[in-house]
Amino acid sequence: MAVRIGTFNIENLLTRFDFTGFRNQLRGDRVLRLYAIGNEAAYQRMEEARMISLTDDTRQLTALAIAEADADIICLQEVESLEALNAFEFGYLYRMMGEGYRQKYLIEGNDSRGIDVAVMMRETTRDGEPIEFVGIRTHATTTFQEFGLFDPSLADTEKPDDKIFRRDCLEIDVRIGGRPLTIYALHLKSMNSPRDGLDGRVATMPLRTAEARAVRHIIEARFGGEHAAAKNFVICGDMNDYQEKLVISGSKREGFTFTPMRGEQSALDVFSADGFAENAVARRPENDRWTLFHARGLIERHLCQLDYIWLSRGLAAANPKAVPDIIRNGQPYRTPFPPGQDVERFPRIGWDRPKASDHCPVVIELEIP
């Protein structure tokens, strides 16, 4: 019996407007800077109109990407609330897919912007096997001290009794045709932009590493230490870190080159260490694993994998030939594709917006032993 499991950061599925750009130009959208806006009330009207127009295009493209992934269970990141998710599923996904994701789960986490992780599930797989929800558990309130994970590398920004997860580790138990599967839905600490000479990724690495260690602790505590890797679990989500990247040089006129780089320290080493879990996307060719294009002008450009489906050792062994799909049709035209990977973009995709998301959905079909 096969089940398709996916993950997708759908980028700011919100139900509120942000008007702070009137007083802080760094928060304002670039298009509004083209206009002379006399007062805050006028600014709010224009911002509402801009967001409504852009959001309709964006969410059509987001829905197209999810429809293309065709997952039975999909983990989502950056969802404000179940109300927002229900409105999106009914108003956009339903029009493209018909009856689909009737089961939706979200528990409010710790993010200061109010974006959470969520999971949507069909009632049955494509083969007609029932997808039975068994239970859900949040770990949003877990502290460093509880798990013994506080160390000196965290001391500049954290305290022992602070919460570990910047969002949550959402633990969901299901049965696929009667067989158990546990899903850990994540959105790890983001990589900050470089500031004051500090590399943002390096500066935030201790917290992401602590989050990853906490996830592994949760799994091993539940399933029994070294025996945990043999159980049926997947770790899905936006990990905000990578173990390799494709460094981009050149230009559209001259031609781009894509140079693989490996060996940097990563918070995700916690999962791959001693074969605890397998990054399923690593089964794809080395230059075809990316899910996001990162650029700071021409100073720094690379493609990397931020979106992961980690398979337990048991699931990986039971599915030796399963290779994930990465849905890139919703990427904006500014994203350079390595040779042979270009795809037909969804209708109305722009240079940098509208787009389905800055991330790509990842989906894999698995047999549950």
Side-chain angles (χ1 to χ4, degrees):
M1 64 188 67
V3 60
R4 285 179 64 83
I5 299 175
T7 184
F8 188 23
N9 181 327
I10 58 176
E11 193 178 13
N12 294 326
L13 181 62
L14 306 175
T15 60
R16 62 186 186 274
F17 298 102
D18 181 0
F19 300 126
T20 57
F22 179 73
R23 302 185 184 281
N24 181 355
Q25 287 196 356
L26 295 176
R27 300 291 298 274
D29 189 79
R30 66 193 185 210
V31 71
L32 295 187
R33 297 177 191 171
L34 300 175
Y35 296 90
I37 304 174
N39 55 64
E40 189 164 4
Y43 179 89
Q44 291 185 5
R45 289 194 300 272
M46 295 178 72
E47 174 63 13
E48 288 170 351
R50 182 194 73 81
M51 275 302 299
I52 291 170
S53 175
L54 178 62
T55 298
D56 184 53
D57 279 341
T58 297
R59 293 314 164 197
Q60 289 188 60
L61 297 169
T62 304
L64 280 169
I66 293 174
E68 187 74 15
D70 196 24
D72 299 314
I73 301 172
I74 187 162
C75 302
L76 302 173
Q77 300 85 48
E78 298 199 10
V79 179
E80 182 183 46
S81 63
L82 277 177
E83 290 76 16
L85 189 55
N86 282 324
F88 167 68
E89 194 267 344
F90 179 77
Y92 292 88
L93 269 179
Y94 180 81
R95 293 174 178 271
M96 296 174 187
M97 303 179 66
E99 293 186 12
Y101 300 104
R102 290 194 170 188
Q103 304 182 73
K104 305 180 189 71
Y105 304 96
L106 180 152
I107 295 176
E108 186 174 347
N110 301 322
D111 188 88
S112 59
R113 293 195 296 128
I115 53 173
D116 298 308
V117 294
V119 176
M120 296 196 303
M121 303 190 297
R122 303 182 193 273
E123 295 183 314
T124 63
T125 68
R126 288 298 186 187
D127 297 332
E129 295 289 346
I131 301 174
E132 176 190 358
F133 171 77
V134 177
I136 186 170
R137 183 182 180 189
T138 176
H139 296 278
T141 60
T142 302
T143 66
F144 297 101
Q145 189 166 276
E146 285 179 68
F147 281 3
L149 292 178
F150 191 81
D151 64 49
S153 67
L154 296 162
D156 288 343
T157 59
E158 312 297 323
K159 298 187 292 294
D161 58 353
D162 284 343
K163 298 170 184 175
I164 296 176
F165 294 107
R166 278 299 181 264
R167 283 94 181 183
D168 195 1
C169 170
L170 199 61
E171 182 178 8
I172 295 184
D173 288 306
V174 299
R175 290 187 178 275
I176 311 297
R179 299 181 181 182
L181 174 68
T182 303
I183 301 161
Y184 295 91
L186 305 178
H187 187 185
L188 299 187
K189 166 65 180 171
S190 59
M191 291 183 277
N192 294 341
S193 299
R195 179 180 297 177
D196 299 328
L198 295 176
D199 180 285
R201 177 172 178 252
V202 173
T204 54
M205 185 77 69
L207 182 51
R208 269 192 311 282
T209 300
E211 288 178 306
R213 290 172 64 194
V215 174
R216 183 161 175 170
H217 176 96
I218 289 165
I219 295 171
E220 291 179 335
R222 173 174 175 178
F223 293 118
E226 62 184 22
H227 304 292
K231 302 297 184 179
N232 289 344
F233 68 81
V234 292
I235 306 169
C236 300
D238 175 3
M239 305 295 165
N240 269 315
D241 210 340
Y242 51 82
Q243 293 179 307
E244 58 187 8
K245 62 185 177 182
L246 292 175
V247 177
I248 302 169
S249 56
S251 67
K252 184 176 182 180
R253 181 174 61 83
E254 300 167 347
F256 294 107
T257 60
F258 301 85
T259 305
M261 290 190 63
R262 301 176 61 91
E264 297 181 56
Q265 179 187 358
S266 171
L268 305 181
D269 298 342
V270 172
F271 295 145
S272 59
D274 58 39
F276 174 74
E278 179 185 331
N279 170 19
V281 173
R283 297 178 174 186
R284 295 173 65 93
E286 184 179 35
N287 72 339
D288 195 18
R289 299 168 183 167
W290 61 273
T291 65
L292 179 132
F293 170 50
H294 168 80
R296 286 196 300 129
L298 297 178
I299 300 173
E300 181 183 339
R301 294 175 296 168
H302 65 252
L303 298 168
C304 63
Q305 181 194 355
L306 293 190
D307 305 275
Y308 288 76
I309 299 175
W310 292 90
L311 306 179
S312 71
R313 191 182 304 155
L315 273 181
N319 294 272
K321 296 183 179 179
V323 178
D325 296 320
I326 300 175
I327 312 303
R328 299 184 177 125
N329 312 70
Q331 280 288 292
Y333 280 98
R334 69 188 286 264
T335 302
F337 282 53
Q341 294 182 24
D342 208 359
V343 296
E344 182 179 356
R345 305 301 209 281
F346 295 135
R348 296 179 65 83
I349 289 286
W351 171 248
D352 67 344
R353 67 183 186 189
K355 60 185 183 296
S357 170
D358 50 349
H359 294 251
C360 301
V362 179
V363 61
I364 188 170
E365 189 162 312
L366 298 172
E367 296 286 338
I368 307 300

